[in-house]
Amino acid sequence: MPKTPRLEVGDKAPAFSLPDADGNIVKLSDYKGRKVIVYFYPAASTPGCTKQACDFRDNLAELNEAGLDVVGISPDKPEKLAKFRDKEKLTFPLLSDPDRKVLTEWGAFGEKTMYGKTVQGVIRSTFVVDEKGKIEAAQYNVRATGHVAKLRRDLSV
């Protein structure tokens, strides 16, 4: 199995156009002129992904004040994302990538180790895309718990 190519600081962020929880199309280009945190997670409503999403929700005001928007992307269908958003009162877009095309382009889908076994799956990853669409930070295999606090420290937010 070939290793998934990874994005690095300075790379152009791969464009995307994906449906959100309500079926509206959201594009990376919608954020041109602003910084955006794009994070990839395995599945809505699972314990780790819920913790991570709620951390982003709870820190969203400070991130927004620092000029950072947040977008979450998973392979879940929009209907599942809508239930997750509503249950957890999430206030940032959750995007659906069921064919994993965007996940793969960003290096967030591929070979990973889970419980000592090598499997294909979503690699929990976070990126900061600058105002011009370039990767400012690329973090792979991040932990669901404590990740947002670390990101805030890294970004001085």
Side-chain angles (χ1 to χ4, degrees), residues 4 40 102-110 121-125 127 140:
T4 303
F40 294 90
V102 174
L103 282 139
T104 302
E105 288 173 348
W106 286 66
F109 185 82
V122 175
I123 300 162
R124 191 182 303 276
S125 310
F127 303 88
Y140 290 93

Side-chain angles (χ1 to χ4, degrees), residues 79-92:
E79 305 76 38
K80 185 174 179 188
L81 295 176
K83 286 181 186 156
F84 182 47
R85 176 199 60 204
D86 296 346
K87 180 175 187 246
E88 302 302 336
K89 298 178 175 45
L90 303 175
T91 54
F92 55 87

Side-chain angles (χ1 to χ4, degrees), residues 10 15 24-25 45 55 61 65 83 86 104 108 116 118 125 127 129 137 139:
N24 301 312
I25 298 299
S45 301
D55 272 356
E65 283 170 23
K83 286 181 186 156
D86 296 346
T104 302
T118 301
S125 310
F127 303 88
V129 180
Q139 301 175 347

Side-chain angles (χ1 to χ4, degrees), residues 10 16 19 36 62 68 77-79 86 88 94 102 107 122 129 135 138 156:
F16 61 73
V36 60
E62 289 87 354
L68 290 151
K77 299 253 188 280
E79 305 76 38
D86 296 346
E88 302 302 336
L94 298 175
V102 174
V122 175
V129 180
I135 300 292
S156 303

Side-chain angles (χ1 to χ4, degrees), residues 28-58:
L28 180 60
S29 59
D30 296 342
Y31 295 92
K32 193 169 172 67
R34 285 187 60 81
K35 286 187 182 187
V36 60
I37 295 168
V38 178
Y39 83 95
F40 294 90
Y41 61 99
S45 301
T46 57
C49 297
T50 298
K51 172 81 178 117
Q52 186 179 24
C54 291
D55 272 356
F56 273 116
R57 177 200 65 205
D58 296 346

Side-chain angles (χ1 to χ4, degrees), residues 136-150:
E136 187 175 294
Q139 301 175 347
Y140 290 93
N141 297 307
V142 300
R143 296 195 172 279
T145 305
H147 171 60
V148 176
K150 181 187 180 314

